[in-house]
Amino acid sequence: MTYPYDVTIIGGGPAGSTLGSLLRKHDPSIRVLILERERFPREHVGESQLPPIGRVLEEMGCWEKVEAAGFPIKIGATFRWGRTPDLWDFEFVTTSEVEGVTRPGTFEGVRRRTAFQVDRALYDQILLDHAAELGCEVRQETRVTEVLREGDRVIGLRMDDPASSLVTSSLYIDASGGAGTLRRAMGVEVDAPSQLRNIAVWDYWEDAEWAVEIGVGGTRVQVLSLDYGWVWFIPLGPTKASVGLVVPADYYKTSGEAPEALYRRALSEEPRVRYLLRNASREETLRATKDWSYVSQRIVGENWALVGESAGFADPILAAGMTLAQLGARELAYTILEARRGQHETDWLFRTYEETQQRRIRQHIRFANYWYTANGCFTDLKEFTREIAREEGLDLDAENAFRWLGTGGFATDNLINPSVGVYSLDSIKRITDRMGEGQSSWEINRFNRFDLALEGAERRDVAGYHDGHVVKCPCYVRDGRVLPEMGVYNVVVQAIRKDGRAESLVHNLGSFFTRVGADPNTMVDHALQALEAMVVEGWVRGSLDSKGQRIHRETPTETPITHRNRDAVPS
Ligand SMILES: Cc1cc2nc3c(=O)[nH]c(=O)nc-3n(C[C@H](O)[C@H](O)[C@H](O)COP(=O)(O)OP(=O)(O)OC[C@H]3O[C@@H](n4cnc5c(N)ncnc54)[C@H](O)[C@@H]3O)c2cc1C
């Protein structure tokens, strides 16, 4: 059967326009339709990005368009979060690296490691226009009102415009964000973690002061906790700022306060935000949302798939929503393109896309849980970490469960480097240290011998996404966890097979990297991060012999990446 479109996308937000753009970029013959219910520019919450989004924008061919809009450069965040009320910074790059930057810039050097804070009305329009320029047919003010189905197959979409005919397509994609238009129509249930039941209220301000300006338009967002929630302060341009409050839904209910009163009270009780807003004026249109944390039980079906927030979302505390939506859209574009080329089985391609997205969202939910439990300013939620660990099949006491969560119970999201999606394991450690767990957070430091623990693991190919292609990456898979048999992980596996004693292991890793012409110091460090992830995820068993030295991998407490805040603004 032939259809007028190869791919029809519901929703023209970042996920929909990234998917459309990358499909057309890598295959200009593919017929893509994007249906968007609003007329852009339209407002949207979620403004603070993470650096990996830059590579996706660059691949789409629109990083320079985003840069030309003059959004602030995000070099990191200032937090009041953890066991003390001290302010601390988490930075993607050092301040001095950004001081010399001129704008508009190009996507190279230090700019590859920074991100943007975007006014979503403008940003989403740039991306949607770009998708149209690349040849996607974009219909705005076109709401999908009905998804026609036969079993698990979509057979057409109806729009709110009675004059428009039924849209039919080979493949249907739900990029409709929290609306989940197709997800709901297909009866897909979602898993929602009980711990992250929060609500958010926010508004936009004019003439708010920035806490700091670094170079031309560089700054840090502010994430400041109160006893009952936290406040975000995100400059979106020279004069506009987004200022929001997140509180647990239970607190909101028991406080008896209306959202407006709660918002005003929080801003007046947060001294730093109060200072930054002292000469600013508010739009006075309070927006609110709740229940955003979930993961869809299914992400692909017979001729449909979910992408971006319709597939799931963790929590604003990680500022990862847009980045994950666009990374996921890139992976879905590659999946569709590869299925059309017919070199890999379609089933495998879509199944691995589904597993990758679900694993990543679950990892982010766990990491968000960690942020909340690690915050001494919130109530002590340590017991919750037991529940989270139990969901992952681990029976740990509260103390160990908290350690497991903080030391990377989420570390093998990326097949190349230990990370949780967009946070490298090293940055997770720095955050963990900052939150008060100190040096104890490196599991590998407890042992002087390491053995592989691969019992019961299945060997499977997992998808890797490179240059418009999906490649098969051999992995061990067990209980939803993945150990790649490639990259630095594989080097560690081979080194342990040779000799698992700590001293020999470090020595052999160093010799290997020297032999292949890599910088042994940097690479051994990467390998130890991978080893840490493997220990935490149960792929490697550590033990302590009577003789032999232990490993000493430490995260400095104050690094150029994480340090005590030095802004002139009063805390
Ligand atoms: C309180 C809060 C704070 C957040 N803060 C951040 C942050 O700081 N950083 C960050 O990266 N992320 C943040 N996020 C998450 C971020 O907003 C989302 O992850 C991101 O917008 C997802 O992009 P998307 O393209 O999947 O969906 P969306 O951006 O929601 O786009 C979906 C599009 O689909 C359209 N649509 C919906 N239904 C239909 C229909 N039936 N027919 C046609 N079109 C339809 C909508 O109009 C919309 O344009 C936050 C989320 C919340 C709730």
Side-chain angles (χ1 to χ4, degrees):
M1 174 125 185
T2 52
Y3 297 100
Y5 300 101
D6 297 306
V7 182
T8 296
I9 303 169
I10 309 173
S17 46
T18 302
L19 173 62
S21 296
L22 290 178
L23 285 171
R24 292 283 307 175
K25 179 191 159 168
H26 291 295
D27 179 359
S29 73
I30 194 164
R31 295 159 307 162
V32 180
L33 172 66
I34 302 179
L35 302 169
E36 168 54 54
R37 70 180 172 195
E38 308 280 345
R39 163 72 45 195
F40 281 24
R42 59 94 180 86
E43 183 182 279
H44 201 296
V45 72
E47 293 113 347
S48 171
Q49 302 188 331
L50 293 170
I53 211 166
R55 292 197 300 274
V56 184
L57 293 172
E58 171 74 353
E59 184 176 341
M60 290 163 70
C62 70
W63 188 90
E64 275 161 22
K65 291 184 183 176
V66 176
E67 166 72 354
F71 298 123
I73 304 174
K74 179 175 168 187
I75 78 154
T78 297
F79 291 98
R80 189 194 310 284
W81 201 280
R83 293 182 189 282
T84 71
D86 296 345
L87 290 169
W88 53 280
D89 299 332
F90 177 77
E91 296 184 327
F92 311 131
V93 293
T94 58
T95 307
S96 56
E97 285 177 284
V98 182
E99 269 158 1
V101 159
T102 52
R103 298 189 82 183
T106 48
F107 187 62
E108 54 191 1
V110 69
R111 297 301 301 276
R112 295 181 75 86
R113 292 182 288 128
T114 59
F116 294 107
Q117 291 143 216
V118 297
D119 184 332
R120 289 288 299 273
L122 299 176
Y123 178 78
D124 289 17
Q125 175 151 36
I126 294 170
L127 265 54
L128 190 59
D129 289 349
H130 186 73
E133 252 175 57
L134 288 176
C136 296
E137 180 182 330
V138 176
R139 292 194 214 158
Q140 298 193 44
E141 293 179 285
T142 306
R143 176 196 292 267
V144 173
T145 50
E146 197 183 352
V147 177
L148 304 179
R149 55 182 284 199
E150 264 174 19
D152 194 40
R153 212 176 159 71
V154 178
I155 52 170
L157 303 176
R158 268 195 223 291
M159 266 63 58
D160 50 1
D161 173 5
S164 67
S165 52
L166 191 72
V167 165
T168 58
S169 177
S170 303
L171 199 57
Y172 299 85
I173 306 299
D174 189 353
S176 67
T181 305
L182 188 141
R183 165 167 57 74
R184 289 174 206 268
M186 299 313 284
V188 176
E189 302 283 331
V190 299
D191 294 331
S194 56
Q195 302 90 326
L196 290 179
R197 232 165 247 151
N198 293 329
I199 68 155
V201 286
W202 68 98
D203 202 350
Y204 296 96
W205 293 71
E206 277 297 323
D207 299 321
E209 203 169 299
W210 293 15
V212 61
E213 178 160 8
I214 303 153
V216 188
T219 192
R220 285 187 291 268
V221 302
Q222 309 289 308
V223 175
L224 305 163
S225 59
L226 299 156
D227 308 349
Y228 47 90
W230 61 277
V231 174
W232 79 66
F233 178 96
I234 308 173
L236 303 178
T239 59
K240 187 174 176 181
S242 163
V243 185
L245 167 71
V246 178
V247 293
D250 284 346
Y251 178 83
Y252 168 65
K253 272 186 221 135
T254 51
S255 77
E257 274 176 296
E260 177 64 34
L262 196 55
Y263 183 69
R264 280 175 192 268
R265 175 159 69 86
L267 300 198
S268 69
E269 285 175 359
E270 207 315 300
R272 195 167 166 86
V273 166
R274 194 173 61 225
Y275 179 83
L276 296 173
L277 294 178
R278 71 196 184 288
N279 297 319
S281 53
R282 219 183 112 183
E283 245 182 41
E284 302 284 350
T285 315
L286 195 68
R287 291 88 171 157
T289 188
K290 61 178 174 124
D291 293 341
W292 50 71
S293 181
Y294 62 86
V295 53
S296 296
Q297 288 179 358
R298 291 178 68 206
I299 289 191
V300 302
E302 233 181 285
N303 62 345
W304 56 267
L306 315 181
V307 69
E309 195 172 322
S310 98
F313 175 58
D315 193 87
I317 188 62
L318 303 178
M322 255 181 297
T323 308
L324 291 190
Q326 293 189 237
L327 285 172
R330 173 178 175 269
E331 290 163 355
L332 182 56
Y334 284 23
T335 300
I336 295 169
L337 293 164
E338 205 65 74
R340 279 163 65 85
R341 287 185 204 114
Q343 278 170 10
H344 297 309
E345 317 81 78
T346 305
D347 232 32
W348 175 79
L349 284 166
F350 281 92
R351 192 167 26 81
T352 47
Y353 166 74
E354 176 172 70
E355 283 171 5
T356 305
Q357 307 311 308
Q358 285 177 331
R359 193 173 62 242
R360 188 180 289 153
I361 299 161
R362 285 187 202 284
Q363 283 169 331
H364 276 77
I365 289 174
R366 290 214 296 270
F367 194 34
N369 269 313
Y370 172 71
W371 272 87
Y372 285 107
T373 52
N375 192 354
C377 301
F378 274 93
T379 47
D380 190 353
L381 297 171
K382 247 181 199 178
E383 272 298 315
F384 268 140
T385 59
R386 291 188 71 175
E387 263 177 54
I388 302 165
R390 215 172 287 129
E391 275 173 27
E392 297 300 315
L394 297 170
D395 190 13
L396 303 174
D397 62 26
E399 205 59 44
N400 277 322
F402 182 75
R403 259 233 319 249
W404 164 76
L405 202 56
T407 52
F410 34 63
T412 46
D413 174 36
N414 173 322
L415 296 184
I416 309 296
N417 284 312
S419 64
V420 47
V422 286
Y423 290 88
S424 75
L425 186 54
D426 224 13
S427 32
I428 293 167
K429 295 291 187 188
R430 285 185 180 127
I431 291 167
T432 316
D433 288 351
R434 210 51 252 195
M435 299 236 200
E437 288 304 287
Q439 300 300 315
S440 64
S441 55
W442 282 90
E443 285 295 291
I444 51 173
N445 290 351
R446 299 168 51 212
F447 308 116
N448 61 6
R449 182 179 176 88
F450 299 91
D451 291 289
L452 293 172
L454 302 174
E455 312 81 35
E458 207 190 314
R459 289 181 95 164
R460 275 225 311 258
D461 288 329
V462 169
Y465 302 89
H466 301 286
D467 295 332
H469 290 270
V470 182
V471 290
K472 289 193 168 186
C473 306
C475 291
Y476 290 98
V477 180
R478 186 174 58 201
D479 302 331
R481 299 195 190 102
V482 174
L483 174 65
E485 268 189 278
M486 54 187 283
V488 70
Y489 291 106
N490 195 35
V491 174
V492 175
V493 167
Q494 299 313 329
I496 293 176
R497 283 210 165 109
K498 198 166 168 195
D499 191 339
R501 287 170 302 167
E503 276 168 280
S504 319
L505 187 64
V506 173
H507 173 80
N508 290 339
L509 286 168
S511 313
F512 170 81
F513 290 120
T514 308
R515 216 167 42 244
V516 297
D519 170 15
N521 289 335
T522 313
M523 288 312 296
V524 169
D525 198 59
H526 277 308
L528 292 182
Q529 291 188 51
L531 177 64
E532 172 77 3
M534 290 156 76
V535 168
V536 171
E537 297 263 316
W539 298 111
V540 169
R541 208 175 295 116
S543 55
L544 199 52
D545 281 353
S546 49
K547 29 187 198 320
Q549 288 204 340
R550 285 193 274 177
I551 284 185
H552 261 291
R553 173 66 166 78
E554 290 190 351
T555 318
T557 44
E558 295 283 319
T559 69
I561 303 300
T562 319
H563 55 79
R564 194 171 282 272
N565 178 260
R566 294 187 288 255
D567 295 347
V569 176
S571 57

